[in-house]
Amino acid sequence: GAVVSQHPSRVICKSGTSVKIECRSLDFQATTMFWYRQFPKQSLMLMATSNEGSKATYEQGVEKDKFLINHASLTLSTLTVTSAHPEDSSFYICSASGQGVREQYFGPGTRLTVT
Amino acid sequence: QKEVEQDPGPLSVPEGAIVSLNCTYSNSAFQYFMWYRQYSRKGPELLMYTYSSGNKEDGRFTAQVDKSSKYISLFIRDSQPSDSATYLCAMLKTSGSRLTFGEGTQLTVNP
């Protein structure tokens, strides 16, 4: 199957700072990338969808100025959590799909802890 | 009412058992069906992807889709302790790219 990587796998930051998470498709061109967050023992919650070269589409209730998404190339998308607070602590997972492909392939996730 | 219903379990079976995992859905617009496996603190891994009604087999895994009943299943034969994980069903509508997930079923296979 297609491979998606995320970096970092784990990050701890202080309240008020910003954190950037990278998502890369390693062996295919990802025309669409998705960002999710997942709380313990819960399913995935879609935050936003981004198409390469376009602005991201955010789900209702997700602050676009707080969660900045950039999808500048067909293999890379970034999520920046700005002015992070402890309530932003969560497991963030990206996924990607290629042109004309319905399946989404997920990255390994990034665990963010804001102290 | 949720669009996709999945029993969260937990489900515990002995090694070698046949496992049956199921999801029901209410919206006939769902046309594409996926099963993901998620180990603790990892991202979901795509196991099976199906479009039409019927069965699809891959090794020990069989995915079954019954669109008339709006019911999908994942069967795991000869289950192994390494199959212990959370299994998520996910669905896509004909138009759009937004996956709708079930809650996930937590499976434990005991040696």
Side-chain angles (χ1 to χ4, degrees):
Chain A
V3 180
V4 176
S5 70
Q6 271 183 251
H7 178 80
S9 58
R10 186 178 299 182
V11 58
I12 301 172
C13 71
K14 292 188 176 180
S15 187
T17 61
S18 295
V19 173
K20 181 184 284 189
I21 302 170
E22 291 187 350
C23 176
R24 292 182 186 272
S25 57
L26 299 185
D27 54 0
F28 69 103
Q29 294 187 325
T31 50
T32 308
M33 285 185 161
F34 307 82
W35 287 95
Y36 297 82
R37 64 187 297 183
Q38 187 176 36
F39 293 103
K41 298 191 184 300
Q42 293 187 24
S43 193
L44 291 84
M45 184 183 79
L46 180 65
M47 299 174 66
T49 302
S50 72
N51 292 298
E52 184 263 338
S54 303
K55 287 186 179 179
T57 301
Y58 290 81
E59 294 296 301
Q60 192 173 7
V62 178
E63 298 175 59
K64 62 180 181 180
D65 294 330
K66 180 168 186 59
F67 298 100
L68 301 179
I69 291 171
N70 183 281
H71 188 173
S73 79
L74 285 171
T75 59
L76 173 64
S77 176
T78 60
L79 167 68
T80 301
V81 183
T82 62
S83 187
H85 291 283
E87 57 265 30
D88 298 323
S89 298
S90 189
F91 192 50
Y92 291 88
I93 313 174
C94 71
S95 71
S97 62
Q99 179 71 39
V101 173
R102 292 286 183 167
E103 308 96 291
Q104 287 183 29
Y105 295 93
F106 285 81
T110 297
R111 183 157 305 280
L112 170 64
T113 303
V114 184
T115 61
Chain B
Q1 185 188 2
K2 296 178 184 176
E3 284 191 296
V4 179
E5 298 277 359
Q6 183 177 9
D7 187 342
L11 180 62
S12 182
V13 301
E15 184 175 354
I18 296 174
V19 176
S20 172
L21 303 166
N22 312 293
C23 288
T24 59
Y25 61 98
S26 56
N27 194 329
S28 58
F30 288 124
Q31 295 291 319
Y32 304 89
F33 306 93
M34 283 151 261
W35 284 96
Y36 288 89
R37 175 176 63 194
Q38 186 176 24
Y39 292 112
S40 181
R41 302 185 182 190
K42 299 290 184 184
E45 171 192 2
L46 180 63
L47 287 177
M48 301 290 278
Y49 165 66
T50 54
Y51 169 67
S52 56
S53 285
N55 293 353
K56 182 177 182 179
E57 189 173 319
D58 184 0
R60 296 185 295 112
F61 299 92
T62 299
Q64 195 171 76
V65 174
D66 183 348
K67 288 186 177 180
S68 63
S69 301
K70 296 187 179 66
Y71 187 89
I72 69 170
S73 300
L74 177 70
F75 298 97
I76 306 174
R77 290 184 300 282
D78 188 24
S79 57
Q80 303 295 310
S82 58
D83 295 328
S84 299
T86 297
Y87 289 80
L88 296 150
C89 65
M91 307 182 185
L92 263 176
K93 296 174 184 175
T94 307
S95 60
S97 59
R98 191 181 191 282
L99 277 176
T100 300
F101 286 92
E103 282 190 55
T105 300
Q106 185 181 343
L107 171 68
T108 300
V109 180
N110 300 300

